[in-house]
Amino acid sequence: TGNGNGNGNGNGDGNGDDSGNGNGNGGAGREVSLGVLMPITGDLGSLGGTIRDGALLVRDQLEDAGVDYDINIVEGDTQTDPTAGVSEANSMVNAGVPAVVGPAASNVNFQVVENVFIPNGVVGMSPSSTAPGVTDLDDDGYIFRTCPSDALQGQVMGEVARDRLEAETAATLFLNDDYGQALEAEFVSAFEEDGGTVLNQVSFEPEQPSYSPQLGDALDEDPDTLMVVGFPQSGIQLFRDYYSDYDTGVDIIVPDGLRDSDLPGEVGNDMENVIGTAPLSDGPGSDFFNESYEEAYDRSPGVFNGQAYDAAAVLILANIAAGDNDGTAIRDEIRNVANPDGEVVGPEDLPEAIEMVENGEEINYQGASSSVDFDDNGDMIAVAYEIFQFLDGGIETLDTLDFEAE
Amino acid sequence: MATEQAAEERDADSLNTDTELLEVRNLDAGYGDLQILTAVDLDVTAGEYVTIVGPNGAGKSTVMKSVFGLTTYMGGSVVFNDEKIHGFKPDEIIHKGIGYVPQNDNVFGTLTVRENLEMGAYILDEVPEDRIELQFDRFPVLRERQNQKAGTMSGGQRQMVAMARALMLDPDLLLLDEPSAGLAPDLVQEMFDRIDRINNDGTAILMVEQNAKEALRRCDRGYVLAQGENRYMDTGRALLDNEDVRQQFLGG
Amino acid sequence: MSDASDETHIDEAVETASTSQGGTATVEPESRDSEVERAAASTPRTVPLSVDNLRKTFGGITAVDGVSFTVESGTVTGLIGPNGAGKSTTFNLIAGALEPNSGTVTFNGEDITGRRPDEIANKGMVRTFQIARELPEMTVLENLMLAPKHQLGEDLWRSVVPGARSTVVEQEAELRERVWEMLEFFEIDHIAEQEAGTLSGGQRKLLEMARALMTDPDLLLLDEPMAGVNPTLEEKILDRIHDLRVNEGLTFLLVEHDMDVIMENCEHVIVMHQGKVLAEGEPEAIKNNDQVIDAYLGEDI
Amino acid sequence: MSDTNSDAGADGPLGGLFDGLSRRSSDLLLVFGALFAIYALFTIFVFGQGINSVVSTLRFLTFLILVYGMLALALNLHWGYTGLFNIGVAGFMAVGVYTMAMLSGDPAGSPPGLGLPVPIGIIGGMVAAALVGLVAALPALRLKADYLAIVTLGLSEIIRLTYNSEAFNQWIQGATSTITSRVGFLPDGGAGTGAGSGIQVPSPAGPVRTLFFEGGRAGNPTPLGDAVFAVTDPIGIQQNVVVEWAYVLVLAVVLLGFYWLLSRIGNSPFGRVLKSIREDELVASSLGKHVEIFKVKVFMLGCALMGLAGILWQGSFGFVSPNDFMPVVTFYIFVAVIIGGSGSNTGSIIGSILFVGLLFEGPRRALGALGNRVDFGRAPNSFGDAVAPILSGDITPFFAYAVANRSALVFVLLGTVLIIIIQTRPDGALGGRNEPAAAVDLSTRPEKQPTTATDGGENQ
Amino acid sequence: MGVTESRRLDRHTIREQAPLILVGVFGALLLVDLLFRLAGVEIALTANRSFGGSLSAQRFGGMLWNGIVIGLIIGLAGIGLSMTYSILSFANFSHGDLLTSGAFAGWAASYVVAGFGVVSVGELLFVRAGGGAPFADEIGASIVQAPLSILVGMVVAAGVTILLALAIDRIVYKPMRGRGGISLLIASIGVALALRYIIQFMFGASNRGVVDTTDVRVDIAGLSVNLHEVTLVVAAVALMLGMHFMLQRTKLGKAMRAMADNQDLALVTGIPTERIVQATWVIGGGLAGVAGYLVVLDRGTIGFNLGWFLLLLIFAAVILGGIGSIYGAIAGGLLIGITYSVSLVWIPSDFNEAAAFALMILVLLLRPEGIFSGVSTA
Ligand SMILES: Nc1ncnc2c1ncn2[C@@H]1O[C@H](COP(=O)(O)OP(=O)(O)OP(=O)(O)O)[C@@H](O)[C@H]1O
Ligand SMILES: Nc1ncnc2c1ncn2[C@@H]1O[C@H](COP(=O)(O)OP(=O)(O)OP(=O)(O)O)[C@@H](O)[C@H]1O
Ligand SMILES: [Mg+2]
Ligand SMILES: [Mg+2]
C-alpha cells in the first residue's frame, strides 16, 4: 500500500484525448480474461479476502445481468509474500492472463510488477499498493493503481499529528517492509517540516510473539505521539502489548493498514487514544457499491474494497474496448474508458457501459472509490482521505480531506 | 580346591535331579529376518551351574538374549518353571524369576550404585532395603561406594554392580554373559568365586564364557555351541577332557 | 598344569624369533651396508618410542600419573595392569587421542606430545582400539582401502579434475592389489564385500589389525587384541604378530589381560598400577614380582 | 547391502565415468521412470485445460525438481557422506543470493548494488557462502551432531535476521560505500540488503530470456525467439512458458554438473575419507586423516553449492526477501535427501522428484483439481459451521470448507505422507543403497588363486 | 566416543582460557555499561560512540521482568522437550505444535466456562474462529472475571495435550521404536506439519485476541502488576518445583534417568520401558500444553503457529542448558528470555532474537555440551 516520495500525481490535464480508435471490438461472447492476485493467507489474509471479493463482485454483477462475454477470472494467492506472489503471477501469465487486479501489498506489488508484469506486457492495477515508489516505476505504462500514493498519506498524517494532536515530538513504529518504510519516511519528513521532532524510529517484523521490546524502544523518550504503521494481524498483538505495558497516555496515529473496525475488540480496549487516516472510498458510485457488496457478502465493505471493484471494472471495460486479451492493447484503452470526455458511467450501469464500449462510444467510468481518473503515471488524479478515530469499539470518521492534483 | 570339590559333588547331584527350571527345545531365533540359532536345546535344573562356550559369532549371546525375550522368536519353545515364556517381554520374564547381566554396557553410568540396585527392583512396589543390604553383604565394596556414580567405577566393580542389580529380585536363574571379559587376572578369580557363592546360595546359573577352561572347570554342565547349533553337551569336566572339544574350541 | 608343554613350545619360538630379530637389528646388518644402516646398527637396538613422565587427569581422577617407559624396536612389549590402571589412557595419550596434562612422548627422536592422532599416525605409529571400531556402514574392502597414508586422491582436486584423476585411478588399482593381499593374509577375503558392521567379534578384531597394517606402520599399539576372541583364533593372531616382527621389523606395544599371552610372547613387560609404572622387566621376573602379584595377578596363577 | 557395481572391467582411461555401467543405466531408468510417473500424474491434474497448462505445469514441476535436486545433492555431501548434520541450508542459500544481488545489482536500484557482471556476482555468491561456511565450520565442527544441527539452524536464523535488519542494511551500505568510493570502477553508493523489503536480484534467467526477446521484454522476439515461437505459438503454448522451459534446461545441465562433481567426489579416496568421518571420526584420524581439514573443505564446498543453488532458484524470480529463507526450506531439502536415501547421489535426485511430485506439489494440485472440478457451493466461514451440518447428514458444507481451506490440508497431507514414508521406507526409496567409495571397482580381484586357508585350517 | 569428546574438551582447556577470559571481559564491560546507563552516566568515546548513557531503572526493570516471563514459558516448554530428547533420543520438532494444541484446547475450555450462556458453545469451542464478535471482553476469560475458567483451561490444556501426545506416540513413534534419532526427527517434522495445519484447518489461520485484559493490571504495594503475568509465574514455578520433586524423589524419576542413560539396559533390568515412555509423554505433553496455554494468557492472542515460532527459542534453551537436564532447560529458558529482552539495551530490536541464538552458539563454543551437561538431574 504505499507510495511515498515524489508527490508525483502532477498534471491533471486530460490525457483522455485521442480516443477514437473505434476498433471493431471483436466478437461479443468471447472470453474476457482477468487475474485477481490477492493475499488470501499470510499477514494480510484478513484484508485480502475482502478486497478480492470487491473485484469478484464485478463479474458476478455482469453475469447476473447476462452480458455477452464470458468473464473468466483467474484467482491467485500471494500469501502476502513477494516470492509466492511472483510465482503465482507467473502462473497467471503462463495461463494467458492479460491484466491483473493486484497485488495488494506494496512489497509484493513491486516484485510482481518488476519481474512478471512489465517484462511480459501484462497490465497490473493494484487497488491498495500505496507505496510512493509505484509512481516512478519504469513500467512502459503497464502499471496502474486505483488507490492514492502514501506520499500524500504521509503528509496527511504529519499534519494530523502536528495540528490536530498538537504533538511536538513523535516516535515511529513501522512494519519492516516497503509499505512501512516508505510511509514512515513520508510521515517523518512531513512532521519535521512542520517543526516537530522525531525521536525514536523503530521497525518491527510481522507475527512476532511479543512487541514489548519494540514498544519499549519507541516510547523510551516519552514522545507526544506514536505513529504505528502495520496491519491488523500484527497490530492486534502490538496494541495488546501496548495496553498491557503502558497507560493510555500517548496519542497514537495509524494509517489505512490498521483501519479495521474489529481491532478494538480484538485488542480488548477501546483504543480511544488512536486516531488514523485512510484513503476515502467515496466515489460517485459508492452508495451503489456499498449496497451491492453488503447484499452479496453479508458484510459492509472494508478498506480498498471499492478500489478493487473499480480496478476490475476498468480492466474489463478496457479489455472489451481492446477487443482482445492483450496486455498492450488493454493498457492503451484504460484512459479511454476511465478518464473524462465521454459518457459518464458508473457501477450501477456497467452492462450498459459494456455495450457502449462495444459500439465504440467514448465513456468515462466514475467509480465506487473515486472518479477513477488516471494520470500519466497510472496514479489517481483526485483522491480523498478521511481522518478517523476508534470510538466505542468502532470507527468514527472525524473529517475528510480532498486532494486534487495540482 | 574347595570350589572344585563342591563342583564335583554337584556334578553328581545335578545329573539326576529332575526339577527342570529352564527347558529350551528346538529354539530358532535371530535378529529381524536373520536367523542365528537353529534348533538349540538347553536345560538348566534348579540350582544348577551351566556354562556355554563356543567360537566368536557362534550365537552364545543370542541364546541368552532369546531366553530373555530380546531376539526375534522363530520357532521352538522356551519353558521356565513349566511355563512357556518365549514371546514374553523382558519385564515379564523378570517377574518369572530370571535375572540377566548383559555382556557389556551393563550399568547405568549416571546413576549411583544404590540407584542402580533400586532399578533392579523396579517392579516391586517398595524399595526393598533388606535386599539391598543383602547385596552389600555379598559385595562389601559396593556398600562403601553406594553413593558413587556407577560410571566412574572400575571394570571389575561395574561387573559387581551389574550382578548385584540382577540379584535384587532373588532370581531362580541368573544369566551371565562373559562376566570375566576384560577383567584383570585377580578379578577373574574373584568373579568366579563370587559366582560359585551365589550358586551355592541356591541360584541356578547359565553363563557364557570365553575363559572356557576356568568356566568348565567350575560348572556342573557345559554346552558347546557353534554356528548357532548345539555341538556338545556334558559335564564341565568331561568337556575339558574331550579331545575334539579341546582341539576345535579350546585352542589345543 | 596341563598347558606346560605348550608354554615351552611357544617360548622357544619366541626365543628363536627374538634372536634372529636381534641379529638383524644389532649385530650384523647382513648384506645391507649403506652408511646410514651401519650408523644405525652401531647403536644397540634403537628406541622408537619413549614416554616420559606422562600425566593425565579426568576431573578428579588421575588416570595416568607420571608414567615413563621406552619401547625398543623390533620387540613385542607388554603393557599390563589391573582394570583402570591407565593402560588404555596411556595409549590414547601416545596416539594423540588425548592430550596429556604434562609429560612428553617421543617417537623416532621427535617430540610428538599433544600432536593430533593423524599426524602421529602419519609418522608411522598406529593404534588399534580395545573395543574394535570398525566403520560399520563401509564394506570390509572400503575399510582397508581407507587406511594407506598419503593417497593421491585424498586431494579434492585430484579426485575431480579429469586429467589428474587418472593418476588417482592408477594408485587405487595398486592399493586394491595390496588390500586383497592383506585380506587373504588375514583370511577374511570371503567377507570382503560385507559391511563391516555385520562382522562377528573376532572378525572385527582381525579387520582392526589388518587396517592398521595397511598404513605401513613402524610401530603398532595393540589394545587387548585378543579380548573376547576365542582361543583358536588367538593363536593365529599371535603368529601373525611374530611374522611381522621378524620379517618386517615391526615393533609392538601390546596391552593384554591374558597372562599366558603376555608371558609367552613379550620380551619386555611393563606393569601399570593406579596410573603409575609398578614394575618393568623380563616376563619371568614380572611373574614373580611380589608387588605385581599383589596388585594384579592374584595368588592363583 | 552390497548392490555394488556388478559390472567389472571399467578402470580404463575413462574409469569412473563408465564404471558400473549397468548400475548407471538402471539408475537412469529409475530417475526417468520416477520423473515420467510424476509427469503423468500432473498431466491428469490439469487435463482438459489445454496444452499450455500442461506444458507450463510440467515446467514448474521440473524447475522445482531441479533446484531441490541441486540442494539435496549438496546436502547429501554434508550429511549423507560426511555426517555433518547441517540444518542451516537456508542460511547459506541466503548468503549466496544476497551476495550475488549486492555485487551485481543495479547501482541505481533501491537498495543499490555494485553493478558487476552477473557471472562475477554468481561466483562471489558462491565464495561468500563458502566463507560463511568456513566461519561456521571452524568452531562448530567440534560439536556433536545434535548440537551442530542446532548451531547451524541458529546461524541460519541469525543470517536471515541480519538480512532483515534495517540497521544492518544501513551499516553495510555505509561500509561498502566507503570502500567503493575509493575504487574507481565501482559505483560510489555501495550496496545494501534492502532489509525487510527484500532485494532485487539480477535474475540468472535473464540471459536466457534475452536469447528469445530483445532486451528481455516480451513483444519483441529475437530471430531465435521468432524461430522457436513459430513452432510453439500455433500449438498454443505461451511464449513465456517456452522461455522458462529454456531456463529449466539450463538448470538441468547445472544439475548434471552437480551430479558429476559429487559422484566423482563420492567415488574417490576423498569421498572414502568423508565416509569414514561419518562413521567414526577417531578411527579416521587414527589412520592418519586430518579430519578437520576434510570437514572444513567439505563444509565450504557444500555451502558454495548451496549458495549457487540458491541463486539459480530464488534468484531466478528476480527478487528475494529474508522470508524466503525460513528454516522450513531446509527441512524440505532434508526430506528430499531422506526419502531418496541419504548417502546416495542418485537417491538425492530421486528423492527430489518424489518430494516435489508427491509431497510438495502433488497434494496442492490434487486438491486444487478437485476444487476446480466439483462445485461444493459457498464455503462456511468456520470449521464449526462446516461440521454442524454433518450431524444432520449434510456433508457438502464440510467439503466446501475443506476445498476452500485446502492450503492447510495440503500441509496435513504432506506431514502425513512424510510420516508414512519414514515409517515404511526408513532407508529411502532406494532402500539404503551404499555407493562404494573408490575410484575403481573394488570387487575386481587381482589375478590370484582364491585362497583356501593356507596355514591354520578354516577360521573359527 | 567418550574419548573423542573428552579429548576435545581437554585439548582445548588451555586454549579455551583465552576466549573464556575474552567473554568474561566483554560481559563485565556490558555490566559496567549497564550500571553507567542506569546511573545516567555517559562517557563519549568517539564522535558517535559512547560508553554508558541513560536508561531508567523502570525501563530496565520492565525489560528484565519481560525477559523472566518469556524465559519461564520457554523453560517450562523446554523441560518437556529436554525429557523427550534424552529419554526417547530424538529432537522433537513437533513440540512447538504441542504447545499450540494445548493453547487452543485450554482456551476453548476457558471460553466454554467463562462464556457459557453468552454465545453458543459452538462459537466458544473454536475460540472465535473466523474472527469477528463476540470479543474477548464480552466473554470475560480472565483471571479477574472468571478465575475458574483459567484454572479449568490450564487443566484441560494439559489433559488434551497429554492425550494427543500419547496418541501420536502410539501411531507415529511406537512403530519406529529403536530406530535412529534422525528417522524419528524427520517423523516429528511430519507430525509438526500435520498437527499445525490441522489446527489451522479447525481453528482458522487468523491471529486473534482471546484474553480479556479488563482490570488485570492492579497496584499491589505500590507496584503495578499484571495479574496474568503473576498467574503465569506462579503456575510455571509451581510446575517446575513439582517436576523437581517428582524426578528426584520418585522411582519414576530414577527410572527416567535410567532410560536416558541406557535404554537397552533399562529393558533388561525390568524397567517397563513402554510405560516410562508414556510417562515421558504425559509429563512432556502436559507441560507443553500448559506452557502453550500460558503463552496465550501472557500475550493475549492466539494463532495457529504460535508454538512453531517459539520452537527455535525452546531448542536454544534446551541445548544451552544441556540436553536432558531439567535445570538446564529452566536456566537456558531464563537466559534466552532475558537475553531476548534485555539485549535491547545495546542493540536494535531487529537483532534481539539473533542475540539469543548468538548467546547459545557462544555458550556451546565454550561448553560444547551445554551448561548443565553431566550434572545429573533428570
Ligand atoms: N543385533 C544384531 N543384528 C544382526 N545380527 C546380529 C546381531 N547381534 C549379533 N548378530 C549376529 O549373530 C551372530 C551370533 O552373535 P552372538 O553375539 O550370539 O555371538 P557370540 O557367540 O556371543 O559371540 P562372541 O563370543 O563374539 O560374543 C553373529 O554372526 C552376529 O554377527
Ligand atoms: N574419558 C574419561 N573420563 C573420565 N575418566 C576416565 C576416562 N577415561 C578413562 N577414565 C578413567 O581413567 C582410569 C584409567 O582408565 P583406562 O581405560 O586407561 O584403564 P585400563 O588400564 O585401560 O583398564 P582396562 O584394563 O579395564 O581396560 C579409570 O579409572 C577410568 O575410569
Ligand atoms: Mg557374545
Ligand atoms: Mg583399557
Side-chain angles (χ1 to χ4, degrees), chain C residues 87-89 130 223-224 255:
Chain C
K87 305 180 296 293
S88 299
T89 307
Q130 181 168 0
D223 197 349
E224 302 201 28
V255 171

Side-chain angles (χ1 to χ4, degrees), chain E residues 103-118:
Chain E
F104 275 100
W107 282 98
S110 289
Y111 263 46
V112 170
V113 173
F116 198 77
V118 180

Side-chain angles (χ1 to χ4, degrees), chain D residues 42-62:
Chain D
F42 276 70
T43 308
I44 293 172
F45 291 155
V46 290
F47 195 71
Q49 294 172 28
I51 182 149
N52 187 58
S53 280
V54 174
V55 175
S56 153
T57 302
L58 296 190
R59 184 215 62 95
F60 186 59
L61 196 65
T62 318

Side-chain angles (χ1 to χ4, degrees), chain D residues 313-333:
Chain D
W313 174 8
Q314 315 273 30
S316 74
F317 300 136
F319 167 82
V320 293
S321 76
N323 280 341
D324 299 330
F325 303 100
M326 294 288 216
V328 72
V329 177
T330 306
F331 293 145
Y332 289 157
I333 300 162

